Amino acid sequence: MTLKYKKYGVAEPPFALLGKAIIKDGEVRLPWSYGGISFAFRGRGVILEMGGHYDNECDYLRVEIDGAAVKYPVCGSAVRIVTPPAEEGEHTARVIRVTEGLQPLCIKSVTVAGEDPAVTGPAPRAKKDLMFIGDSITCGYGVDAPGDVPGFNTFEEDCTLTYAYMAARAIGAEILFTGASGKGIAANCMGNREDMTLIQAFEWEDHQGGEWDPAGYVPDAVVINAGTNDAWGGVTDEEFYAAGMALLAGVRKKFPHAPILWAYGIMDVTKLNCIKRITEDFDRKNGKTYFLDCGCMSAHDGEVGGGGHPNVNTSLRVYPLLAEK
């Protein structure tokens, strides 16, 4: 059998965008974790051509063919990802950014290989949509590392091992995520109020700014997991309360009918009572606002991962709580 190849620009239909992916200059850019593309194809495999990516460490893409996933590092120039060969036939593909970083990962083209290769349409998607706004806990910082690892390595981060991804899969939902490690709603974990906040991350297109246009996207619910970095950064309850109310107001303005759930407590409980008060006060005036106490990982054995962050065991404990809520 002689393989044939057919190349597609990813800015053209029928590729479907996942998460907070954006199309710019003929390529798909993935500024945030959980962003990606999905499609159905006929053939034996695909080749992804990535744009140049230069960061302190490699970032990673998760490529699923019919649900079977492989993680690939992306760093340097002329990066090509070639999937393992499958049987000739009809397949579905999902490509997801699973690590965070200041630079977007850029998908320039998709080439399909096979006897009569073709992208045949968008892949079937979940019937629900959940938006997450969060920090390192939702990014999966250190989730795939032992507890004695002190620092951060991208190969130990994977957003598909988090409580968020597992809960979304459990209820049949897609994820759109915005946020980053170390960020709070008033200050970062070092107390810096000039750093990007999670309020800005929600509003921005990427880490550098630019207004995000949801372009018809309407989530079935918005989940916030924030407060840990504000607590560590010394933000007072008074300042945190004002910032929390502003975040909820911004979310409700953009998505007037979406329920908002604030999940908290996995790494820190300092702001627990304040967050309860924020959600109760906002709900009284605006409705559809809820709180979920996730339970602190320090109260459970074997839940500490890299850099003192929650590991997969935490995700396995917390995701059913969120899915049920």
Side-chain angles (χ1 to χ4, degrees):
M1 180 190 72
T2 301
L3 285 179
K4 299 177 182 178
Y5 300 89
K6 189 167 184 180
K7 186 175 182 178
Y8 294 85
V10 288
E12 309 163 3
F15 294 96
L17 299 182
L18 301 174
K20 212 173 179 179
I22 55 176
I23 296 175
K24 186 171 286 188
D25 298 331
E27 61 188 14
V28 173
R29 298 184 181 180
L30 314 177
W32 312 94
S33 302
Y34 299 94
I37 60 172
S38 66
F39 56 96
F41 70 94
R42 180 177 63 246
R44 297 192 64 195
V46 298
I47 301 169
L48 302 172
E49 182 184 354
M50 308 296 298
H53 186 75
Y54 303 92
D55 213 333
N56 293 332
E57 293 189 54
C58 292
D59 281 299
Y60 287 82
L61 280 181
R62 172 187 170 107
V63 182
E64 300 177 10
I65 304 296
D66 300 332
V70 179
K71 280 172 60 175
Y72 296 91
V74 180
C75 51
S77 60
V79 176
R80 287 186 176 180
I81 295 174
V82 182
T83 64
E87 291 187 8
E88 183 74 27
E90 303 289 334
H91 304 281
T92 59
R94 290 171 58 90
V95 181
I96 305 170
R97 177 175 185 159
V98 297
T99 53
E100 58 182 321
L102 295 178
Q103 295 185 30
L105 292 181
C106 302
I107 307 173
K108 301 178 74 67
S109 68
V110 170
T111 299
V112 183
E115 295 179 12
D116 181 25
V119 172
T120 57
R125 71 183 312 279
K127 295 181 180 180
K128 299 183 182 71
D129 287 283
L130 293 180
M131 180 174 186
F132 283 82
I133 302 169
D135 51 31
S136 56
I137 300 169
T138 312
C139 291
Y141 181 116
V143 72
D144 200 21
D148 58 357
V149 172
F152 173 72
N153 298 294
T154 53
F155 63 83
E156 294 162 342
E157 181 176 64
D158 189 332
C159 65
T160 65
L161 298 177
T162 64
Y163 76 98
Y165 188 85
M166 293 179 184
R169 283 284 153 287
I171 66 170
E174 298 284 358
I175 287 182
L176 186 150
F177 171 76
T178 189
S181 291
K183 312 305 181 187
I185 59 174
N188 67 16
C189 61
M190 302 300 291
N192 183 354
R193 287 158 176 77
E194 302 302 318
D195 195 9
M196 179 187 74
T197 67
L198 294 180
I199 297 175
Q200 291 171 321
F202 169 68
E203 297 170 343
W204 288 359
E205 181 177 78
D206 57 30
H207 289 261
Q208 281 65 54
E211 184 179 358
W212 173 50
D213 179 7
Y217 171 80
V218 180
D220 291 280
V222 177
V223 180
I224 299 168
N225 192 328
T228 297
N229 292 309
D230 294 275
W232 293 357
V235 174
T236 65
D237 281 1
E238 182 181 17
E239 185 182 4
F240 186 79
Y241 179 92
M245 293 295 278
L247 173 58
L248 293 177
V251 172
R252 183 53 52 84
K253 182 179 180 180
K254 194 173 287 285
F255 305 118
H257 305 294
I260 305 172
L261 171 63
W262 199 317
Y264 178 72
I266 291 177
M267 284 186 70
D268 182 86
V269 297
T270 306
K271 297 298 182 187
L272 191 142
N273 289 331
C274 189
I275 292 172
K276 284 183 178 179
R277 186 160 59 92
I278 292 170
T279 53
E280 288 170 359
D281 289 354
F282 194 85
D283 180 63
R284 238 186 325 268
K285 295 180 179 179
N286 302 278
K288 293 184 178 180
T289 311
Y290 309 92
F291 173 76
L292 175 65
D293 183 350
C294 297
C296 191
M297 66 182 190
S298 62
H300 302 269
D301 293 334
E303 290 199 1
V304 179
H309 283 68
N311 63 15
V312 178
N313 292 330
T314 314
S315 302
L316 292 171
R317 175 180 61 81
V318 172
Y319 94 80
L321 304 176
L322 179 59
E324 180 181 4
K325 187 75 170 183

